[in-house]
Amino acid sequence: MGLPPASPVAPSLEWIGDAHLCVRLGDAISADSHAGVRSAHERLRRAGIPGLIDLTPAYTTLLLRFDAMTLDPDIAAAAVRGVLEGVGSAPPPPSRLVDVPVCYDPSLAPDLADVALRCSLAPERVVELHSGAEYRVAFIGFAPGFPYLTGLPKQLSVPRLDSPRPRVPAGSVAIAGDQAGIYPHATPGGWRIVGRTPVRLFDVAASVPSMLAMGDRIRFVPISLDEFRSRERR
């Protein structure tokens, strides 16, 4: 399952505060809005607009941060509009497919049984559905390296926990609403944990710290507890 289709939307710009420009590329989460965000992000990243410091993508928007000391809002907005001309109908950048091993053993999946109960499914069927889907990294956020994933089967849509856990183990694979994600670090969190991966998603010492990037396609590959422990040790 992927994002629902929608008609391409021309980008709209809105200043937020003194130095942040919000570029909106859709009114709802869809394949087209996501493609627009990816294309806009790539264009702006390469454009070299003076004073542009940072780009923060989300489901339908891209937040641009400028140097407030040198910013001329009219000139900056005009430059952004020029770079983004036609972006709503442009094809998205190419994506890669990444297989992520996941162990669904109950010892590593504290919410698997509850998800199964809420969805009126056997735990084994939850694993089949979760690992049988192809996901898309909509963007990286919340914590360094945390991927927000679209593509969760509708049968597995469950609410967040009523009370977040004070500590979610690194590598925990979790779901909430119609989203999936992977916790790259031990951190508080309120999503429901259905498995864990031994893969290290974020390494601050690496040349590219985040293993995953916006636009990547993700498949979860089930592994046994023994294989998880073996890979974890390595």
Side-chain angles (χ1 to χ4, degrees):
M1 286 179 65
L3 290 169
S7 300
V9 176
S12 63
L13 277 58
E14 178 186 1
W15 284 103
I16 299 175
D18 295 332
H20 291 81
L21 180 62
C22 180
V23 178
R24 183 171 298 280
L25 293 123
D27 298 320
I29 298 174
S30 70
D32 285 319
S33 61
H34 182 246
V37 170
R38 289 182 61 208
S39 296
H41 183 273
E42 186 66 14
R43 288 191 187 191
L44 291 167
R45 187 179 66 83
R46 295 177 178 274
I49 295 177
L52 179 57
I53 296 173
D54 193 28
L55 301 165
T56 304
Y59 282 116
T60 62
T61 61
L62 191 58
L63 186 65
L64 282 56
R65 181 165 67 94
F66 287 88
D67 180 356
M69 301 301 294
T70 61
L71 176 64
D72 182 312
D74 293 334
I75 293 176
V80 170
R81 287 192 183 94
V83 171
L84 298 185
E85 185 176 355
V87 74
S89 57
S95 62
R96 60 174 181 159
L97 179 62
V98 181
D99 286 342
V100 177
V102 179
C103 178
Y104 295 93
D105 187 88
S107 63
L108 303 177
D111 297 315
L112 180 60
D114 183 59
V115 169
L117 183 63
R118 286 173 175 270
C119 298
S120 300
L121 298 168
E124 295 78 12
R125 181 57 179 158
V126 172
V127 172
E128 289 176 2
L129 288 168
H130 186 266
S131 61
E134 182 176 288
Y135 301 82
R136 176 82 70 170
V137 179
F139 58 97
I140 303 294
F142 163 61
F146 183 98
Y148 281 85
L149 306 176
T150 61
L152 182 72
K154 291 182 179 179
Q155 301 97 310
L156 300 183
S157 178
V158 290
R160 298 167 184 253
L161 296 172
D162 292 335
S163 299
R165 289 185 172 90
R167 184 181 184 279
V168 175
S172 292
V173 177
I175 60 178
D178 57 359
Q179 303 175 109
I182 312 171
Y183 287 84
H185 323 278
T187 179
W191 292 23
R192 296 182 189 271
I193 303 169
V194 296
R196 195 185 304 176
T197 179
V199 172
R200 188 175 185 180
L201 267 68
F202 190 85
D203 182 357
V204 70
S207 57
V208 181
S210 180
M211 171 187 156
L212 301 176
M214 180 173 60
D216 284 348
R217 294 173 291 130
I218 306 297
R219 292 187 306 198
F220 292 124
V221 180
I223 60 174
S224 67
L225 183 59
D226 287 342
E227 185 173 357
F228 174 88
R229 297 301 186 198
S230 176
R231 293 194 184 198
E232 188 180 45
R233 286 192 296 271
R234 295 201 303 267

